[in-house]
Amino acid sequence: MAYPNTLIFVDLPAEDPTAAGIFYAEVFGWENEPRPNGLFHRLVPGGFFRHKDGSDSEIANLHLAIYRTDNARPYPDAYGAPPHTVAGPGRKARTWILVSDDDTPERILEAAETRGAKILWRDHFCKEFNGFNHAFMDPWGNEIVLWVKGGVNPVIPDHYTSE
């Protein structure tokens, strides 16, 4: 294979994509693009990936999408592929969000919790990948992990857990 397969975006299930689109727009400040409203919503963070020097590259940030669970399209059948419900309890895919230098995990967690999310954990440092992380489950059961780069010689607050 001369060129690798490329991730273009991830879409999350929700019984109400309109509400989910609004949730993510309000929590992260992303643009909510109904395509069409109530069936599939593309969430656009805007901005570009950055070079090591902090300047913008020409590569736009990835998108996230929300699809309606009872009509998971595209699919040849107009009603989408079964099952038509969100995943139950247990392990599932997680979506990792790099927190902007202009934002904080505390603000994001508060905004998410205010809008019905459940906080899964706060204040953890992962030595292996040199990052601070926090997580919540959105009102539709999707797990979102917030990531903040540790940088060179990170200072880990005393109240943080660490591995």
Side-chain angles (χ1 to χ4, degrees):
M1 180 168 53
Y3 189 80
N5 297 307
T6 305
L7 175 68
I8 51 175
F9 68 88
V10 174
D11 55 347
L12 303 174
E15 292 96 344
D16 185 351
T18 301
I22 292 167
F23 174 91
Y24 282 97
E26 290 177 348
V27 169
F28 290 110
W30 296 340
E31 183 177 343
N32 176 22
E33 295 180 347
R35 301 184 74 179
N37 190 25
L39 186 60
F40 183 87
H41 287 239
R42 183 171 76 166
L43 298 159
V44 183
F48 295 87
F49 282 97
R50 291 189 174 160
H51 294 292
K52 287 184 179 184
D53 68 4
S55 64
D56 284 345
S57 75
E58 59 282 347
I59 303 167
N61 282 315
L62 299 175
H63 300 166
L64 182 72
I66 307 290
Y67 69 94
R68 197 169 82 199
T69 54
D70 69 354
N71 195 337
R73 295 167 76 184
Y75 189 73
D77 182 323
Y79 294 101
H84 296 277
T85 58
V86 295
R91 294 288 178 204
K92 59 191 99 179
R94 298 183 294 180
T95 302
W96 295 69
I97 306 296
L98 180 63
V99 177
S100 165
D101 292 340
D102 300 332
D103 206 348
T104 67
E106 295 79 15
R107 189 215 55 84
I108 294 168
L109 291 171
E110 181 180 338
E113 190 171 33
T114 298
R115 290 161 178 81
K118 175 185 175 190
I119 304 303
L120 299 175
W121 76 82
R122 298 174 188 265
D123 304 338
H124 180 72
F125 179 76
C126 177
K127 182 178 178 182
E128 179 69 25
F129 296 107
N130 188 24
F132 300 94
N133 56 88
H134 320 262
F136 66 86
M137 182 180 299
D138 75 12
W140 302 275
N142 300 299
E143 294 183 24
I144 308 299
V145 181
L146 306 177
W147 189 264
V148 177
K149 294 178 183 178
V152 179
N153 300 317
V155 176
I156 304 164
D158 290 337
H159 69 281
Y160 269 58
T161 57
S162 178
E163 62 180 54

